[in-house]
Amino acid sequence: MVDRLANSEANARRINVVESCFGTAGQPLAIEGRVLIGEGVLTKLCRKKPKARQFFLFNDILVYGNIVIQKKKYNKQHIIPLENVTIDSIQDEGELRNGWLIKTPTKSFAVYAATATEKSEWMNHINKCVYDLISKSGKTPSNEHAAVWIPDSEAHTCMRCKKVKFTPVNRRHHCRKCGFVVCGPCSEKKFLLPNQSSKAVRVCDFCYDHLSNGDLLPCQSGRSDSLSSSPKMANHMSDDDDEDSSD
């Protein structure tokens, strides 16, 4: 079905509509062979709180953006190549239900659908697109993905030293390697993580020591970066208010 739609006029019109919704700030999306599989609003866990984001699933990329005018205009376009994507289901917890992780070497975060059926459809379609891309390219699926960030609200004290309490003066920071919420003294060092940035980024002392010793394994200690076994929800870098570059 995807092959039949690839060069159809109907598919071209649908993609043009998506492009126009992002305006001149968005990247062009129409290329040969690209098909718009589906779209919808998902709740994305941003650093400070969950927010609605418009998602578009193509056969080779996942695109999402902030909703400016419902169904008419979006901004802060994000494009994720599907061949680098791994998804994991998240157990329901409190008000956050029907969720899954979208994990890539550059960025990982949690999203939630309105219903279990919608979640199942999204996950099945994403997995099918990833499988088809990997099969055609012959590439090995990526086993590396960026850490899932702990939300600010989940940490009242530094998750490394366990001593510093966060206040308006003692700000929260995030280690780019493990995703923990840490204090300034526990995260003064930086390390180059090529998949995330061309410049050295903030890491906690624990991860810095492991990275400096050549240990490339996940630096999360006492916590899995998969939320399927986490007692509370976590998220990765937020696209909210340019928080990707925040501490």
Side-chain angles (χ1 to χ4, degrees), residues 47 147-151 174-176 179 234-237 243 246-247:
R47 177 176 176 178
V148 178
W149 280 24
I150 300 291
H174 277 85
C175 172
R176 268 56 173 180
N235 71 295
H236 180 59
M237 300 179 183
E243 287 179 0
S246 69
D247 292 330

Side-chain angles (χ1 to χ4, degrees), residues 140-173:
T140 302
S142 175
N143 292 322
E144 183 179 355
H145 56 82
V148 178
W149 280 24
I150 300 291
D152 288 358
S153 59
E154 298 297 323
H156 300 290
T157 60
C158 175
M159 299 179 70
R160 286 303 183 193
C161 70
K162 313 290 186 182
K163 297 177 181 178
V164 174
K165 292 184 177 181
F166 296 121
T167 67
V169 176
N170 294 324
R171 296 178 53 217
R172 292 172 172 83
H173 303 277

Side-chain angles (χ1 to χ4, degrees), residues 1-8 10-12 14-15 29-38 56-62 82 129 136:
M1 179 178 178
V2 171
D3 292 336
R4 292 200 305 270
L5 290 172
N7 298 309
S8 70
N11 179 63
R14 293 176 69 198
I15 294 179
L29 299 172
I31 65 170
E32 185 175 355
R34 177 168 290 165
V35 175
L36 178 59
I37 305 296
F56 300 92
L57 176 63
F58 297 82
N59 59 331
D60 62 334
I61 58 174
L62 182 66
L82 283 179
C129 290
K136 290 179 181 179

Side-chain angles (χ1 to χ4, degrees), residues 73-230:
K73 187 172 178 57
Y74 316 107
N75 64 8
K76 295 188 179 180
Q77 182 192 69
H78 295 257
I79 300 177
I80 302 174
L82 283 179
E83 64 180 14
N84 296 325
V85 167
T86 302
I87 60 174
D88 288 329
S89 181
I90 303 173
Q91 294 181 356
D92 292 344
E93 180 73 20
E95 296 181 357
L96 295 174
R97 309 178 69 83
N98 310 313
W100 68 97
L101 287 179
I102 297 174
K103 302 189 294 185
T104 80
T106 303
K107 181 175 184 139
S108 304
F109 53 90
V111 292
Y112 293 83
T115 66
T117 298
E118 187 179 344
K119 169 186 174 177
S120 177
E121 290 177 348
W122 270 100
M123 292 188 70
N124 288 338
H125 285 308
I126 292 174
N127 275 328
K128 179 63 165 59
C129 290
V130 173
Y131 175 82
D132 289 345
L133 283 171
I134 296 297
S135 298
K136 290 179 181 179
S137 68
K139 296 181 180 178
T140 302
S142 175
N143 292 322
E144 183 179 355
H145 56 82
V148 178
W149 280 24
I150 300 291
D152 288 358
S153 59
E154 298 297 323
H156 300 290
T157 60
C158 175
M159 299 179 70
R160 286 303 183 193
C161 70
K162 313 290 186 182
K163 297 177 181 178
V164 174
K165 292 184 177 181
F166 296 121
T167 67
V169 176
N170 294 324
R171 296 178 53 217
R172 292 172 172 83
H173 303 277
H174 277 85
C175 172
R176 268 56 173 180
K177 180 60 179 174
C178 67
F180 276 21
V181 185
V182 291
C183 64
C186 284
S187 59
E188 293 178 339
K189 299 181 178 66
K190 293 187 176 183
F191 200 92
L192 180 62
L193 302 176
N195 285 328
Q196 295 190 34
S197 175
S198 59
K199 299 179 180 179
V201 292
R202 181 188 293 270
V203 295
C204 67
D205 291 346
F206 179 87
C207 288
Y208 182 85
D209 290 342
H210 278 258
L211 292 166
S212 298
N213 291 329
D215 181 3
L216 300 181
L217 294 174
C219 292
Q220 288 169 299
S221 176
R223 170 187 175 270
S224 169
D225 59 3
S226 172
L227 300 190
S228 59
S229 60
S230 176

